[in-house]
Amino acid sequence: MFQNTKPTQTKHWEKLQEHKTNFEDFSLKNLFNENPDREKQFTLRLENLSFNFSKNRITETTLHLFEGLTKEMHLEEAKQALFNGEKINTTENRAVLHTALRDFSNRRIKVDGVAIYPLINEARNKLKDFTKQIISGKWKGFSGKPIDTIVNIGIGGSDLGPKMVVEALDYYTNHLNSYFISNIDGDATKRVLNKLNPETTLFIVVSKTFTTVETLTNASTCKKWLLEKCPKDAVQKHFVAVSTNTKAVVDFGIESASIFPMWDWVGGRYSMWSSVGLSIALSIGYEAFESFLQGANTADQHFKHTPFRKNIPAIMGLLSVWNTNFLNTRTEAILPYSEALRELVAYLQQLFMESNGKSVDRDGDPVNYATGNVIFGSTGTNAQHSFMQLIHQGTDEIPVDFIGFDSPLYGDSKHHDILMANFYAQSQALLEGKTKEEVHLSMKFEGDQKKINQLLPFKVFTGNKVSNSFIFDKLTPYTLGMLIALYEHKVFVQGIIWNINSFDQFGVELGKELAKRF
Ligand code: F6P
């Protein structure tokens, strides 16, 4: 197991503290003017992805210091421990093996002496077989009609990932309609039920523990609704489950043959690559689901084998630590320029904030530095007509991730050109800002000098703001898998540098206990 180290006691943390003073009067714009190759120098490629991090307060020396910090914090050893299935979730004594779910090399990894590849393969085959039966119409509802609607009942990691991906990959979906029920709000459940035909609906109850109040209450309500309209044995044809808790599922009334497995070595928010992704596989077909896994595996292999200077998630993680702990930013905005990715931010909020919202380190000692950031965002260009004002002219600096695609899905290049023009314009505006002189020049013909002087301060943008740009050729199951896995590894890297356990979530427990009391 890799060593626990207090980051603030490392040499490179101290060196970065010194180094940051170079950025006090620092103009990103000047750096671009002085070095026309800056964008090229700080852009990395991975297959059809280009990751441009040139608009950060960094130089080559900064990256060198980052690398030194990763060495002192044992990032390499931590990566090996992650991929080899060591129990790096120490507080729960669990391995963290979501990467194994998208690995097709059949590597011999054991957890508690049990080889996991046969289990993963068996689960994939079961998923494949079931999705084929549903999509082809071979699986019939109680009255002999094929299934045309699926409803995922789950919450947190058992909802956000599948919902986000099914929405994102709508272009690739088949004839099945999908719905997601997560909130305990009965009105929301009813709203979905009102749209369903009991004869042709399949409910998928997804709960790793099968003890989550929201999910079990919603599942019971849906079962009651079904049984009001159908014979008792209809449950077998209209309910399946994804869980580690076979007994509780069977007690609920779902046949053991209709249980898709999950394992303790996959955390809820990292689980959509497992059978938790059943609604994804049903919506886009098993082959496309495998392509989604392959995309993630490409990011895994890149993360595992690429040296620091060219390692995208390692750099993403270190940039975030740099901004947070040295340049004092506390929030990060994520702006996908794709309406299909409208659920991405909600998904990433759980990934980042449930993972890294910790204030004790891996030794249980309180940390004396900032950890997990507040993540927010929404799709561009909508965000531009909403909260972007604060990013451009507010008092807080907020690093932004722009995510875009070279080609549209349906081929409408007019819309896409305008969309991407905005993508480029926003990151450029954040970088360049608008000086007094520029504002003055642009207002020259707008009235008398007095009025211009009055308005001038309001129209100045300081610029010099940090952003990253991710551009893929096109939104596909493969590129989406890659993008998500890169973010997962960013979270991991941050957790290693912050010396915290990114894989437990005790913080959500107290509220659950109190809700029972209330
Ligand atoms: O309350 C948080 C949480 O434990 C998440 O981590 C998890 O994704 C979610 O609840 C759902 O848990 P389960 O899949 O066991 O129902």
Side-chain angles (χ1 to χ4, degrees), residues 218-287:
N218 278 323
S220 297
T221 302
C222 293
K223 189 168 89 171
K224 189 163 164 269
W225 172 86
L226 183 81
L227 292 178
E228 277 161 10
K229 296 159 171 55
C230 312
K232 207 168 165 218
D233 59 357
V235 173
Q236 312 310 337
K237 290 284 163 200
H238 294 271
F239 271 83
V240 297
V242 183
S243 186
T244 54
N245 190 348
T246 314
K247 183 176 176 309
V249 179
V250 172
D251 288 350
F252 176 85
I254 296 175
E255 278 186 334
S256 58
S258 298
I259 304 176
F260 293 83
M262 248 195 111
W263 306 279
D264 271 353
W265 38 266
V266 181
R269 55 191 173 275
Y270 298 88
S271 65
M272 68 172 159
W273 320 98
S274 70
S275 312
V276 170
L278 177 56
S279 51
I280 305 174
L282 284 168
S283 297
I284 59 174
Y286 183 78
E287 279 69 30

Side-chain angles (χ1 to χ4, degrees), residues 72-333:
E72 285 193 86
M73 294 308 296
H74 311 285
L75 178 62
E76 237 5 88
E77 294 89 321
K79 273 192 322 192
Q80 299 315 321
L82 168 82
F83 283 99
N84 291 337
E86 288 178 41
K87 295 196 171 178
I88 61 171
N89 178 357
T90 48
T91 51
E92 296 180 308
N93 195 29
R94 289 178 184 166
V96 176
L97 277 167
H98 48 281
T99 54
L101 298 169
R102 53 228 192 183
D103 186 340
F104 291 84
S105 69
N106 288 336
R107 273 192 334 124
R108 289 164 197 264
I109 298 179
K110 289 188 174 177
V111 175
D112 294 326
V114 179
I116 62 165
Y117 274 97
L119 302 178
I120 294 174
N121 285 333
E122 201 185 316
R124 279 184 194 148
N125 287 335
K126 188 170 167 130
L127 204 73
K128 186 173 179 179
D129 182 52
F130 185 69
T131 48
K132 286 212 165 120
Q133 286 195 55
I134 295 286
I135 295 168
S136 66
K138 208 167 142 203
W139 179 289
K140 305 269 192 278
F142 76 93
S143 64
K145 291 187 182 159
I147 297 297
D148 63 13
T149 301
I150 52 177
V151 182
N152 190 95
I153 308 172
I155 197 163
S158 298
D159 165 70
L160 289 163
K163 182 155 104 195
M164 179 271 290
V165 175
V166 169
E167 292 268 357
L169 299 179
D170 178 65
Y171 178 78
Y172 301 91
T173 53
N174 50 36
H175 63 284
L176 296 172
N177 302 307
S178 10
Y179 294 97
F180 291 83
I181 297 179
S182 55
N183 201 320
I184 189 69
D185 180 351
D187 292 344
T189 308
K190 190 76 185 136
R191 213 169 120 190
V192 174
L193 287 175
N194 284 344
K195 294 179 188 153
L196 305 177
N197 174 357
E199 290 179 81
T200 56
T201 297
L202 177 77
F203 294 97
I204 309 167
V205 188
V206 186
S207 176
K208 182 175 167 182
T209 55
F210 223 79
T211 59
T212 305
V213 175
E214 290 89 339
T215 302
L216 294 192
T217 309
N218 278 323
S220 297
T221 302
C222 293
K223 189 168 89 171
K224 189 163 164 269
W225 172 86
L226 183 81
L227 292 178
E228 277 161 10
K229 296 159 171 55
C230 312
K232 207 168 165 218
D233 59 357
V235 173
Q236 312 310 337
K237 290 284 163 200
H238 294 271
F239 271 83
V240 297
V242 183
S243 186
T244 54
N245 190 348
T246 314
K247 183 176 176 309
V249 179
V250 172
D251 288 350
F252 176 85
I254 296 175
E255 278 186 334
S256 58
S258 298
I259 304 176
F260 293 83
M262 248 195 111
W263 306 279
D264 271 353
W265 38 266
V266 181
R269 55 191 173 275
Y270 298 88
S271 65
M272 68 172 159
W273 320 98
S274 70
S275 312
V276 170
L278 177 56
S279 51
I280 305 174
L282 284 168
S283 297
I284 59 174
Y286 183 78
E287 279 69 30
F289 180 66
E290 254 197 31
S291 171
F292 173 64
L293 302 186
Q294 297 279 12
N297 183 247
T298 296
D300 293 343
Q301 297 312 315
H302 165 83
F303 178 53
K304 193 171 169 189
H305 299 294
T306 311
F308 177 79
R309 179 61 182 83
K310 294 200 154 70
N311 194 312
I312 297 175
I315 292 193
M316 287 163 72
L318 264 295
L319 285 171
S320 176
V321 169
W322 173 236
N323 289 329
T324 306
N325 302 102
F326 299 89
L327 307 177
N328 301 324
T329 62
R330 292 300 296 127
T331 36
E332 288 179 18

Side-chain angles (χ1 to χ4, degrees), residues 492-512:
F492 175 78
V493 170
Q494 290 172 312
I496 296 304
I497 303 295
W498 285 329
N499 192 31
I500 56 176
N501 179 359
S502 303
F503 301 103
D504 60 15
Q505 57 285 316
F506 295 114
V508 298
E509 296 306 326
L510 179 61
K512 288 186 193 173

